[in-house]
Amino acid sequence: MNKKGPLYALFLSLILLLPGCSSITVLNPKGPAARTISDTIILSILVMLGVLAVVYILYIFVIVKYRAKKSNEGYVPPHEEGNKWLEAIWIAIPIIIVSFLSVVTVKSTSAVENVAADYKNQKPLVIYASSSNWKWHFSYPEEGIETVNYVNIPVHRAVEFRLYSFSSITSFWVPQLAGQKYAMNDMLTTLHLSADTVGSYLGRNSNFSGKGFAHMEFETLVMPQKDYDGWVKDVKETAQPLTEDEFKALLKTDFVGRKTYSSNHLTFSPPPGNHGDHMSHDGMEMDMDNGNMEHKENKKIHPSPAPSSETIFDGKPDTEVQPVDDSTHEGHH
Amino acid sequence: MDLEKFKVHGGVLIYGAMVSIALATLAIIIGLTVFKKWGYLWREWLTTVDHKRIGVMYILAALLMLFRGGIDALMMRLQTAAPEMKFLDAQHYNEVFTTHGLIMILFMAMPFIIGLMNVIVPLQIGARDVAFPRLNAVSFWLFFFGAMLLNISFVIGGSPDAGWSAYFPLASIEFSPTVGNNYYSLALQISGIGTMLTGVNFIVTILKMRAPGMKLMRMPMFTWSVLITNVIIVFAFPVLTIALALMMFDRLFGSQFFTMANGGMDMLWANLFWVWGHPEVYIVILPAFGIYSDIISTFSKKNLYGYTSMVASMVIISLLSFLVWAHHFYTMGQGVMVNSFFSITTMAIAVPTGVKIFNWLFTLRKGRITFTTPMLYTLAFIPIFTIGGVTGVMLAMASADYQYHNTMFLVAHFHYVLIPGAVFAVIAGFHYWFPKVFGFRLNERLGKHAFWWIIISFNVAFFPLFILGLMGMTRRMYTYSAETGFGPLNMVSFAGALGLAIGFVILVYNIYWSTRYMPRDTTGDPWDARTLEWATNSPIPAYNFAVVPTVTDRDAFWVSKQENIPLFKDQIKKIHMPSNTGKPFILGVIFFFFGFFMVFSMWVPAIVSGVGILITLCAMSFDRDHGFYIPEKEIIATEKKLRGETV
């Protein structure tokens, strides 16, 4: 009756094997993090095709062989309670498959949550990517520049994006370079990525954030280090600085095109995760009365699982912005 | 008063909806008056405490909501069928996908399943009603008026627009200033209370009202699945209740639980929502497993293979369902440790689910399989749901999920799980149990037509979404540019959605056609089935069983047919029945107004209706009504008539 199984298998393998099928962006990685995930995905698809094949073969066999037909009119099916050996087999084999995939998951998750192996010895380029309705702001603390709705990074360089949001939860996603991560208003998250091919990659917010969500895209331009240095120098020399007033106006504007500034908003509007001032970073209401400090301390660590004494009770304000960086706690597993 | 806030601005669609709601209401009122059915409606339906009628009302409401949610789906698929479509604007698209999700999960899948369990479970355990018949009526009316409250949001004030998961701070008053999410917090709360009461009611019913000899391990698999489901309901729904209450405080009274200011925590909402939300998936899927088990067993003429491991696997799934919620937001930055934990618990669910699939396959093996409409849906479920299952394992892998999260791949996955897992199941159950409730079968030829439309179109509509997800298309995008290359596959998907719509129209036409032309079934057992519900007459008399059955084995009715062991040993005696009451309906109506006034912050009428709720509850508590007896003579006459004998 239902013979779609092999069709699906064929369909899936076609998608995977089509050479140069570059429109499947997730399976067309241009950096180590995305490549790790792409390999994981392809491996899991192959394993799952195996599982599907077993189920489909059994399924087609039973419904073809045991269907009611004229020739078996008087057949009385037997009473079967079950068979503990057979049942043990279909408990054991899935457990083995799941265990295997668990190992793959833990390894690959740990790999993409940290700086890629080939880039470990580099000092990462830090970029703060913050979202507001409905734009992306990219602040380069070391270079002291800021862009809106596009980000330039050097090729073959470890880049550490520190993500946060001025409004709803958004998700920072450049599928060809790395998996996504949420940007939230009350805590920093960190995304490591590197690109090993020069080119332009589409990035977008993948987490629904209201009316302008569909248009919340940005370009990630990967360029040689020399070009990157030239661009930074160019921006420093020619672009306008970003004033606090201009930034506030920018936050209030729903959509803007690309913008470039020779200074960044981190100086007057620090990101969350830092004590004291992260509550008022967007210059809105937020009074800071009674009882809030303790809560913010919680926030700083939440939801990092590491039971570390240095985070809960360390009341000293950090001079430098410290992201909640899970990888430092867990990268050794 | 400021009337402006009641208005929804939005062109032809909204006005069309307003006009059609008004016309439908008018038609119902005129129809009831012309045919003098007001009294009938009140006496036989609105005040009923009969589990079968309540079940039928649940299913009717669910079918209605299926079409509402289905129209939402068609609008979404049309809007995204081609790049830069101008059919809906962003705001409307957001409202439409939000209500599509809410309605399909909470007001279609859940009530359909609760409806089937209402009709069938007391029969399967040989009981005369549920443990608390009036509470059951309260459950239904709270669900019904909760659903109505959400539905009027489309034409009065505006629908919720922050997604069915209503993540904060997007759903806060700051970013969602319309009353839409007020409706969310109140409508879901009201119907959620109803669901929680159902949970209590059915646990007690199954544990305390079984016929003599019906041990737990002799219960039909559907009853087992319902028992486990209701345990999940009782544990999961209080979390939703609390979350919605906090949301309501945030939105109506200026508290700051989930907002951006003053230490509110947006991540807390996501956690609370999914602590309820993931078990909710199993609330709609486990009963489906039960329905399939009963149908497979009936139509392969075999007992269920591995009964004990089927029960055990459902218990394990129910426990694991509370340990996986964070897989809905691996990307929130919890780090490797937490994500790995939730990856492993999530993948672990594949093991008991796999056990069930293989047990079903081995039930079919050595059987004699007949392809009736309910069996066709069941057989289609296995291969399609397996795709949903294996993609679920793929999504469970945290690292890979960083690429699937929020994409159409995820959308494809959960439709591949929920449509075969819940929708096919309720349709299969609907066709299977229809003759029990109404005394005639649905037409098989039309049923199979609808089946093929639905199955093929489903795959056409949803398989392309897997690929779109891998191409980088995110969910909830109301538009995209032509350069993305998303266009062709979305067009294919839209064609599939149209096919699904045709399938459902044939399904409903079949109900109409069969009501007019199908012959009466006087056997009470048209499928040669195995469980107790088939041992009584169709349609089921008010008292269910003239004599309470005595059970000696699993598949009690089958065994009694095969080995000529009588199920009904006692003499017919007068039967005690609960009386009808209008109070649950009135309570629902008052709750509806309470919700409505709260949505619009109209405090005085809200307080008045709040007091009304308390008074009605008190009146129900002090109600001295000890029911009534159906005399022997009447029972004997009814029995004869239902068997087609002349009285």
Side-chain angles (χ1 to χ4, degrees):
Chain A
M1 175 215 69
N2 201 329
K3 289 178 182 138
K4 290 189 291 290
L7 265 180
Y8 280 134
L10 194 71
F11 199 15
L12 264 178
S13 43
L14 267 180
I15 303 163
L16 295 179
L17 301 176
L18 267 182
C21 192
S22 56
S23 60
I24 309 281
T25 45
V26 166
L27 303 180
N28 183 22
K30 300 292 181 194
R35 188 163 301 110
T36 306
I37 300 180
S38 171
D39 292 347
T40 310
I41 290 174
I42 289 172
L43 175 74
S44 69
I45 289 179
L46 292 176
V47 173
M48 289 304 137
L49 281 177
V51 173
L52 276 183
V54 172
V55 172
Y56 281 17
I57 289 167
L58 252 173
Y59 171 79
I60 291 167
F61 171 75
V62 293
I63 66 169
V64 169
K65 179 151 185 214
Y66 297 103
R67 68 187 197 279
K69 43 199 168 212
K70 286 265 156 55
S71 59
N72 65 359
E73 199 113 33
Y75 170 65
V76 180
H79 180 92
E80 286 184 305
E81 278 300 320
N83 178 314
K84 62 179 176 198
W85 288 109
L86 276 175
E87 287 175 54
I89 289 175
W90 60 67
I91 292 171
I93 295 180
I95 288 180
I96 294 170
I97 296 174
V98 164
S99 309
F100 167 68
L101 290 177
S102 299
V103 173
V104 173
T105 304
V106 175
K107 275 190 165 167
S108 56
T109 308
S110 158
V112 298
E113 287 282 353
N114 288 297
V115 182
D118 298 345
Y119 297 84
K120 277 264 183 339
N121 49 5
Q122 288 184 9
K123 181 175 171 294
L125 168 67
V126 174
I127 301 172
Y128 286 84
S130 50
S131 65
S132 65
N133 283 347
W134 287 276
K135 311 163 282 292
W136 284 100
H137 310 263
F138 297 95
S139 322
Y140 296 69
E142 284 153 57
E143 288 78 357
I145 60 173
E146 176 149 332
T147 60
V148 176
N149 289 339
Y150 78 100
V151 59
N152 290 358
I153 57 171
V155 72
H156 295 302
R157 174 79 192 269
V159 184
E160 181 182 321
F161 280 99
R162 296 182 184 170
L163 313 169
Y164 64 104
S165 170
F166 288 96
S167 53
S168 317
I169 299 176
T170 52
S171 192
F172 178 90
W173 190 34
V174 190
Q176 286 188 280
L177 298 182
Q180 61 195 288
K181 191 156 275 184
Y182 282 177
M184 293 167 291
N185 72 79
D186 45 4
M187 133 183 167
L188 270 186
T189 46
T190 310
L191 182 80
H192 297 280
L193 65 76
S194 320
D196 39 42
T197 316
V198 169
S200 160
Y201 306 107
L202 184 72
R204 53 170 301 113
N205 165 24
S206 74
N207 195 57
F208 175 62
S209 62
K211 262 185 213 170
F213 160 68
H215 305 293
M216 217 169 143
E217 296 175 345
F218 58 90
E219 185 191 6
T220 314
L221 196 60
V222 179
M223 49 181 68
Q225 183 73 42
K226 217 173 72 201
D227 294 7
Y228 175 78
D229 293 337
W231 171 74
V232 171
K233 191 160 162 272
D234 221 34
V235 170
K236 294 283 271 184
E237 282 166 5
T238 59
Q240 296 292 317
L242 178 60
T243 63
E244 193 161 354
D245 288 338
E246 181 162 2
F247 185 63
K248 277 183 187 164
L250 194 57
L251 285 179
K252 287 203 182 98
T253 319
D254 286 349
F255 303 103
V256 296
R258 295 177 181 213
K259 300 243 176 208
T260 314
Y261 300 100
S262 62
S263 69
N264 61 49
H265 74 258
L266 299 175
T267 47
F268 51 82
S269 172
N274 196 9
H275 291 265
D277 31 27
H278 79 278
M279 297 303 292
S280 52
H281 57 70
D282 53 1
M284 289 186 224
E285 68 296 316
M286 329 240 168
D287 59 13
M288 298 278 303
D289 52 7
N290 45 26
N292 271 339
M293 285 312 278
E294 189 190 333
H295 188 73
K296 264 177 274 140
E297 296 256 337
N298 283 333
K299 246 182 198 173
K300 182 177 187 250
I301 57 154
H302 179 84
S304 166
S308 148
S309 57
E310 64 187 89
T311 41
I312 292 187
F313 298 109
D314 179 11
K316 280 182 301 208
D318 299 345
T319 43
E320 220 187 84
V321 175
Q322 284 291 324
V324 180
D325 189 354
D326 302 301
S327 57
T328 52
H329 299 301
E330 325 225 297
H332 314 296
H333 291 279
Chain B
M1 192 193 308
D2 180 17
L3 284 173
E4 197 56 26
K5 65 184 175 185
F6 293 111
K7 281 190 194 150
V8 180
H9 300 279
V12 185
L13 280 172
I14 302 286
Y15 299 122
M18 285 181 189
V19 170
S20 57
I21 288 177
L23 284 179
T25 318
L26 206 66
I28 291 169
I29 292 172
I30 291 174
L32 285 169
T33 314
V34 168
F35 295 105
K36 300 203 169 60
K37 290 289 186 191
W38 281 107
Y40 165 79
L41 183 71
W42 176 257
R43 278 191 309 275
E44 301 290 323
W45 295 96
L46 302 187
T47 60
T48 190
V49 293
D50 181 337
H51 68 99
K52 301 169 290 283
R53 294 195 171 207
I54 290 174
V56 169
M57 289 193 290
Y58 262 116
I59 293 169
L60 272 176
L63 279 173
L64 212 69
M65 290 294 106
L66 175 70
F67 277 84
R68 163 74 213 274
I71 288 168
D72 283 348
L74 276 178
M75 294 202 289
M76 280 152 66
R77 286 284 102 212
L78 175 60
Q79 167 61 25
T80 51
E84 315 280 3
M85 283 284 274
K86 295 277 184 280
F87 173 61
L88 297 173
D89 64 16
Q91 179 61 26
H92 278 137
Y93 188 79
N94 299 347
E95 293 183 16
V96 165
F97 73 67
T98 303
T99 51
H100 169 76
L102 286 172
I103 285 176
M104 285 304 202
I105 297 269
L106 288 155
F107 301 134
M108 190 284 287
M110 283 250 294
F112 214 132
I113 275 161
I114 293 178
L116 288 174
M117 68 169 102
N118 258 290
V119 175
I120 298 305
V121 165
L123 295 170
Q124 282 200 332
I125 60 173
R128 291 229 160 95
D129 206 323
V130 293
F132 311 112
R134 289 183 177 205
L135 195 65
N136 203 18
V138 172
S139 289
F140 172 74
W141 290 113
L142 289 187
F143 146 72
F144 181 79
F145 284 106
M148 290 304 111
L149 187 60
L150 189 81
N151 272 279
I152 61 160
S153 70
F154 195 60
V155 289
I156 306 177
S159 298
D161 57 358
W164 88 285
S165 46
Y167 269 20
F168 275 81
L170 183 62
S172 68
I173 202 94
E174 189 181 346
F175 295 106
S176 178
T178 67
V179 293
N181 280 299
N182 298 353
Y183 273 113
Y184 181 107
S185 66
L186 282 142
L188 266 59
Q189 189 69 286
I190 292 170
S191 65
I193 296 169
T195 309
M196 210 144 49
L197 299 178
T198 300
V200 174
N201 208 341
F202 274 82
I203 291 175
V204 179
T205 304
I206 295 173
L207 292 181
K208 301 298 287 183
M209 311 265 295
R210 278 167 291 138
M214 175 69 82
K215 295 177 181 160
L216 280 176
M217 289 308 273
R218 283 179 184 167
M219 295 197 307
M221 202 44 66
F222 179 58
T223 300
W224 253 117
S225 69
V226 168
L227 175 62
I228 294 167
T229 299
N230 283 295
V231 173
I232 302 182
I233 288 178
V234 167
F235 279 93
F237 266 77
V239 182
L240 179 71
T241 305
I242 297 298
L244 289 173
L246 299 183
M247 175 181 190
M248 184 186 76
F249 290 146
D250 268 16
R251 290 192 55 93
L252 295 180
F253 306 122
S255 66
Q256 311 277 336
F257 291 106
F258 308 124
T259 55
M260 297 205 325
N262 298 325
M265 235 207 258
D266 47 4
M267 290 167 281
L268 181 62
W269 168 266
N271 277 279
L272 288 174
F273 182 84
W274 288 114
V275 167
W276 161 79
H278 201 85
E280 167 67 18
V281 175
Y282 292 92
I283 291 171
V284 297
I285 281 190
L286 286 182
F289 288 172
I291 294 171
Y292 289 137
S293 299
D294 284 3
I295 290 177
I296 285 183
S297 187
T298 298
F299 295 106
S300 53
K301 294 267 167 289
K302 271 184 78 204
N303 64 319
L304 190 66
Y305 194 90
Y307 179 96
T308 320
S309 62
M310 285 300 226
V311 173
S313 62
M314 282 197 290
V315 173
I316 293 170
I317 291 175
S318 71
L319 294 175
L320 284 173
S321 75
F322 284 93
L323 295 176
V324 299
W325 79 91
H327 72 210
H328 294 273
F329 43 85
Y330 283 139
T331 52
M332 208 178 253
Q334 300 95 316
V336 182
M337 200 57 160
V338 173
N339 279 353
S340 298
F341 172 82
F342 283 100
S343 285
I344 293 167
T345 52
T346 306
M347 282 193 271
I349 292 186
V351 177
T353 314
V355 168
K356 300 189 80 68
I357 298 270
F358 284 107
N359 278 337
W360 285 319
L361 289 176
F362 272 71
T363 308
L364 291 167
R365 182 172 157 265
K366 296 189 183 169
R368 189 167 184 278
I369 306 166
T370 41
F371 297 98
T372 58
T373 311
M375 188 60 165
L376 282 177
Y377 281 104
T378 308
L379 290 174
F381 149 79
I382 293 176
I384 300 175
F385 182 80
T386 309
I387 294 180
V390 296
T391 50
V393 174
M394 290 165 65
L395 277 154
M397 303 172 73
S399 55
D401 183 70
Y402 296 165
Q403 294 284 33
Y404 306 133
H405 185 63
N406 276 332
T407 67
M408 293 311 259
F409 189 93
L410 170 79
V411 175
H413 156 72
F414 69 68
H415 283 90
Y416 263 80
V417 171
L418 284 170
I419 292 184
V423 180
F424 291 179
V426 294
I427 299 176
F430 183 77
H431 283 84
Y432 181 58
W433 284 308
F434 191 89
K436 181 50 39 194
V437 178
F438 295 103
F440 55 91
R441 277 193 265 192
L442 291 171
N443 180 274
E444 281 286 302
R445 200 177 50 83
L446 281 171
K448 285 175 188 173
H449 265 292
F451 166 79
W452 286 110
W453 273 102
I454 289 172
I455 296 299
I456 294 171
S457 311
F458 164 77
N459 285 293
V460 174
F462 292 101
F463 200 85
L465 304 191
F466 281 120
I467 305 162
L468 280 172
L470 295 178
M471 286 168 75
M473 182 174 180
T474 60
R475 68 197 294 204
R476 299 172 172 176
M477 277 167 89
Y478 83 100
T479 192
Y480 52 88
S481 63
E483 300 90 75
T484 54
F486 300 154
L489 285 171
N490 274 301
M491 186 54 91
V492 172
S493 171
F494 174 59
L498 285 178
L500 270 172
I502 293 171
F504 282 110
V505 168
I506 300 176
L507 198 154
V508 170
Y509 174 71
N510 191 9
I511 302 174
Y512 162 78
W513 193 91
S514 305
T515 309
R516 296 201 61 172
Y517 302 113
M518 285 301 277
R520 279 267 288 118
D521 161 59
T522 49
T523 61
D525 180 25
W527 309 113
D528 191 14
R530 314 174 72 85
T531 40
L532 277 185
E533 73 268 31
W534 304 102
T536 184
N537 297 299
S538 323
I540 316 143
Y543 47 79
N544 290 358
F545 298 95
V547 172
V548 172
T550 310
V551 176
T552 51
D553 210 336
R554 273 177 213 159
D555 291 348
F557 183 48
W558 181 257
V559 172
S560 96
K561 281 192 290 187
Q562 293 309 104
E563 297 170 20
N564 270 323
I565 305 169
L567 272 174
F568 305 106
K569 293 175 179 161
D570 295 335
Q571 291 289 311
I572 291 179
K573 285 185 219 128
K574 60 178 182 174
I575 296 171
H576 181 237
M577 299 294 290
S579 343
N580 286 359
T581 165
K583 292 192 187 81
F585 176 77
I586 293 165
L587 184 70
V589 172
I590 306 177
F591 253 109
F592 176 84
F593 282 105
F594 170 74
F596 185 81
F597 295 136
M598 289 291 281
V599 164
F600 288 96
S601 309
M602 294 153 75
W603 305 124
V604 176
I607 292 167
V608 172
S609 19
V611 172
I613 290 170
L614 288 177
I615 292 172
T616 320
L617 286 175
C618 289
M620 287 179 75
S621 306
F622 293 104
D623 212 349
R624 282 176 195 277
D625 185 334
H626 299 293
F628 66 98
Y629 282 92
I630 306 179
E632 270 168 60
K633 243 197 242 162
E634 197 183 320
I635 299 167
I636 293 168
T638 314
E639 290 287 300
K640 276 191 177 160
K641 200 175 127 208
L642 287 170
R643 274 193 231 106
E645 299 166 29
T646 43
V647 188

